[in-house]
Amino acid sequence: MIKIEIELKDIDYDSLIEQFLPVMTERLRQSDNPVAMLLSNGMPASMAKMILKKLPPATKDQLTADLINTNKDQVVQLLKEAAQSQNIRLEISDLSAKTEN
C-alpha cells in the first residue's frame, strides 16, 4: 500500500461557491459546521455567497474539505479515471480531506 498526501492551496473559493452552492444545500444540512447549517436553512443564494466570500480562510478551508469529503466517491472516480488514462490500474481504498490547524 502507498499513501499519497496532496496539499491544496490558492483555492478559487468564489468559483466553488458559484458552482456548488445551488446543489449542496442538502449535504450542508448534514454537516456539523455551523456556517454550513446557516447557509443550508433557506438563506437566499445571493446572501449566502456574500457571507461565504467574507469568511476567514480557515473557515473556507473547512467548508471546502467538507465538500470534498461529501463528494469523495466522485473524486475517487476521477482519480481512477486519470490513472487509467495513463494505463495505471489501481484501487483507491480511501480518500479524506482535512484542514491544517
Side-chain angles (χ1 to χ4, degrees), residues 1-45:
M1 177 172 67
I2 298 171
K3 186 173 185 175
I4 297 174
E5 185 173 309
I6 299 172
E7 184 175 310
L8 303 177
K9 63 181 186 176
D10 297 328
I11 299 167
D12 182 359
Y13 295 110
D14 291 343
S15 176
L16 284 174
I17 292 167
E18 290 293 325
Q19 183 174 357
F20 288 104
L21 186 62
V23 297
M24 63 192 266
T25 305
E26 182 57 37
R27 290 183 179 143
L28 284 170
R29 280 192 190 106
Q30 298 168 2
S31 171
D32 291 333
N33 188 302
V35 175
M37 292 294 291
L38 175 68
L39 296 175
S40 68
N41 287 325
M43 179 182 291

Side-chain angles (χ1 to χ4, degrees), residues 34-85:
V35 175
M37 292 294 291
L38 175 68
L39 296 175
S40 68
N41 287 325
M43 179 182 291
S46 60
M47 186 181 292
K49 289 175 188 176
M50 187 172 30
I51 289 172
L52 284 169
K53 288 179 182 183
K54 293 181 181 186
L55 290 174
T59 304
K60 289 180 183 180
D61 287 347
Q62 184 59 56
L63 286 170
T64 302
D66 292 346
L67 181 62
I68 291 168
N69 289 328
T70 299
N71 292 289
K72 88 177 195 176
D73 292 341
Q74 293 92 326
V75 175
V76 165
Q77 186 60 38
L78 285 171
L79 292 172
K80 286 173 63 174
E81 289 171 3
Q84 288 174 352
S85 73

